Amino acid sequence: MKGCLSFPILAVNDSRTKHMFDNRYGTGQSTLDGIIRATNMLLAGSTVVVAGYGWCGRGFAMRARGAGATVIVTEIDPVKVPEAEMDGFRVMPMMDAAKLGDLFCIVTGDFNVIRGEHFAAMKDGALVANPVTSTP
C-alpha cells in the first residue's frame, strides 16, 4: 500500500499521560531548574508568580513551593482559579501580583501575559521568564 506505514505509531503529545506526567512533573522541574541555573536565584523566601495554571503551570508552582518560595498564581480560566486556590496557592490578577513578585514565570504559551503596565509595577530586580517554545 502506498502511503501507509508498515508499523504502528502513537501520537504521544495527545495522550493523557503526556499532559499529566511529562508536562506537570517534567516541564515543571526542568523550567525551574533552567531558571535557577541561569540566574543563581535563591527561591526560598522569594515570591514566585506563575502565570497560568495548566499542566505545566501546576508543575512549576508545585516545584517552586517545594523550593521554599511563596507562590502566587495568575489565571483567567474560571475553573482553574478555584483549583489553584484549593491546591493552596494565592490567586490574583497580574496587576496585583506584579507588585509582589520576585520571579515571574509565564507558562501559558503566550507572550502577551505581562504587559507594560505590569513591568512598570514590578520591583527593581524582578526576573521574568517566558519559556515560549514557538513564535507567533
Side-chain angles (χ1 to χ4, degrees):
M1 296 171 132
K2 193 172 187 178
C4 291
L5 296 174
S6 58
F7 52 87
I9 62 166
L10 176 64
V12 176
N13 282 339
D14 295 335
S15 69
R16 279 185 64 205
T17 56
K18 160 72 167 112
H19 301 294
M20 292 176 69
F21 298 105
D22 183 44
N23 287 0
R24 184 176 194 174
Y25 298 103
T27 302
Q29 180 172 325
S30 62
T31 301
L32 189 63
D33 179 63
I35 292 168
I36 291 169
R37 287 175 189 264
T39 65
N40 201 28
M41 179 181 192
L42 176 63
L43 292 181
S46 66
T47 300
V48 174
V49 177
V50 181
Y53 203 65
W55 287 112
C56 295
R58 289 179 187 114
F60 184 82
M62 178 175 47
R63 297 292 183 227
R65 179 171 53 195
T70 298
V71 178
I72 297 171
V73 172
T74 65
E75 177 57 68
I76 60 171
D77 184 319
V79 173
K80 292 177 182 175
V81 168
E83 180 182 9
E85 290 172 337
M86 292 174 80
D87 285 344
F89 299 108
R90 293 174 63 192
V91 180
M92 63 184 70
M94 181 58 77
M95 195 63 213
D96 296 336
K99 302 167 190 167
L100 303 172
D102 299 303
L103 168 64
F104 296 79
C105 187
I106 305 166
V107 283
T108 64
D110 191 358
F111 56 90
N112 294 312
V113 175
I114 298 180
R115 300 183 303 273
E117 64 268 23
H118 303 131
F119 283 108
M122 288 180 190
K123 302 181 212 179
D124 286 342
L127 299 172
V128 177
N130 189 15
V132 175
T133 57
S134 62
T135 56

